[in-house]
């Protein structure tokens, strides 16, 4: 079964950008969409968007349009999510999750604070 | 956007009791692409049920899912101490995933 390993916690200042990575353990990386979901402290799960690993095509939630960029590097089976113009309410745990198997990464805490 | 509404918000039960959690969708869920997750503090969501009623690998048979269309249910037949957690439903039948707001199952 595919496992997803995410990059470590980040602390950013307001207005900065953050880039989170998600590495898949198997060569089936291109077989399914990769989604990104976030969870603010004490809150529920919020879908941010998805990327088609084969083509790089993306679909973003309207809320994040213009601030989020999802990319991938198929040579190393890794997906990336970059969020720009960070605000304090972007403080959250960010998860990648693979469609098909519904496998999730362990999460990456992003703290936005001055 | 297919909005998922879970009820109740909190369920207070004792170990050994039966838990019934509801998830209602604003639109029919395509091909019953409805999943249930369990989440404990500091952990990623754990997949319990996919395709509305199929248990994920390693999930005990006290967890069962049912439903179709717009109404879905997760049942925990006899609560074990480790089952007290927050549960989310999710639809993954469209290009945009959506989640319910969660049901907290707490010890009475």
């Amino acid at each position: 079964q595919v496992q997803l390993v995410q990059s470590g916690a980040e602390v950013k200042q307001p207005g900065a950008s953050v880039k989170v990575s998600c590495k898949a353990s198997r060569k089936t990386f291109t077989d399914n969409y990769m989604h990104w979901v976030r969870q603010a402290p004490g809150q529920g799960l919020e879908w941010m968007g998805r990327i088609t690993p084969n083509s790089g095509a993306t679909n973003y939630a309207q809320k994040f349009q213009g601030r989020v960029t999802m990319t991938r590097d198929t040579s190393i089976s890794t997906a990336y999510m970059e969020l720009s113009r960070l605000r304090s309410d972007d403080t959250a745990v960010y998860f990648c999750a693979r469609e098909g198997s519904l496998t999730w990464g362990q999460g990456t805490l992003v703290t936005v604070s001055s | 956007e297919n909005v998922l509404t879970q009820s109740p918000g909190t369920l207070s039960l004792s170990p050994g009791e039966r838990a019934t959690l509801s998830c209602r969708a604003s639109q029919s869920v395509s091909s019953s692409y409805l999943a249930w997750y369990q989440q404990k503090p500091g952990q990623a969501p754990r997949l319990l049920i996919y395709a509305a009623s199929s248990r994920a690998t390693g999930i005990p048979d006290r967890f069962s899912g049912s439903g179709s269309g717009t109404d879905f249910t997760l049942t925990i037949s006899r609560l074990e101490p480790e089952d007290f957690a927050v549960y989310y439903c999710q639809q993954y039948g469209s290009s945009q995933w959506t989640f319910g707001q969660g049901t907290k199952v707490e010890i009475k």
Side-chain angles (χ1 to χ4, degrees), chain B residues 35-101:
Chain B
W36 289 94
Y37 295 88
Q38 176 193 71
Q39 190 179 35
K40 296 179 179 179
Q43 297 183 14
R46 175 195 183 198
L47 179 65
L48 301 174
I49 301 289
Y50 64 95
S53 60
S54 297
R55 265 189 304 277
T57 304
I59 301 302
D61 61 7
R62 64 180 181 273
F63 291 92
S64 63
S66 63
S68 64
T70 60
D71 287 293
F72 299 88
T73 301
L74 174 70
T75 301
I76 311 171
S77 58
R78 287 178 57 86
L79 283 164
E80 297 288 339
E82 63 268 27
D83 298 337
F84 292 92
V86 178
Y87 293 82
Y88 294 96
C89 60
Q90 174 210 22
Q91 71 77 24
Y92 55 102
S94 68
S95 59
Q96 177 176 337
W97 287 0
T98 52
F99 298 89
Q101 80 279 19

Side-chain angles (χ1 to χ4, degrees), chain A residues 39-45 91-93, chain B residues 39 86 88 101:
Chain A
Q39 186 171 40
Q43 302 302 308
L45 300 165
T91 294
V93 177
Chain B
Q39 190 179 35
V86 178
Y88 294 96
Q101 80 279 19

Side-chain angles (χ1 to χ4, degrees), chain A residues 78-95:
Chain A
T78 300
Y80 302 92
M81 186 285 300
E82 184 170 21
L83 189 62
S84 63
R85 303 195 299 278
L86 290 168
R87 307 184 293 251
S88 58
D89 62 357
D90 291 317
T91 294
V93 177
Y94 291 76
F95 296 98

Side-chain angles (χ1 to χ4, degrees), chain B residues 12-53:
Chain B
S12 298
L13 295 168
S14 301
E17 290 192 293
R18 181 184 188 90
T20 303
L21 287 67
S22 173
C23 177
R24 179 162 290 177
S26 62
Q27 306 166 35
S28 183
V29 176
S30 172
S31 302
S32 292
Y33 285 154
L34 192 286
W36 289 94
Y37 295 88
Q38 176 193 71
Q39 190 179 35
K40 296 179 179 179
Q43 297 183 14
R46 175 195 183 198
L47 179 65
L48 301 174
I49 301 289
Y50 64 95
S53 60

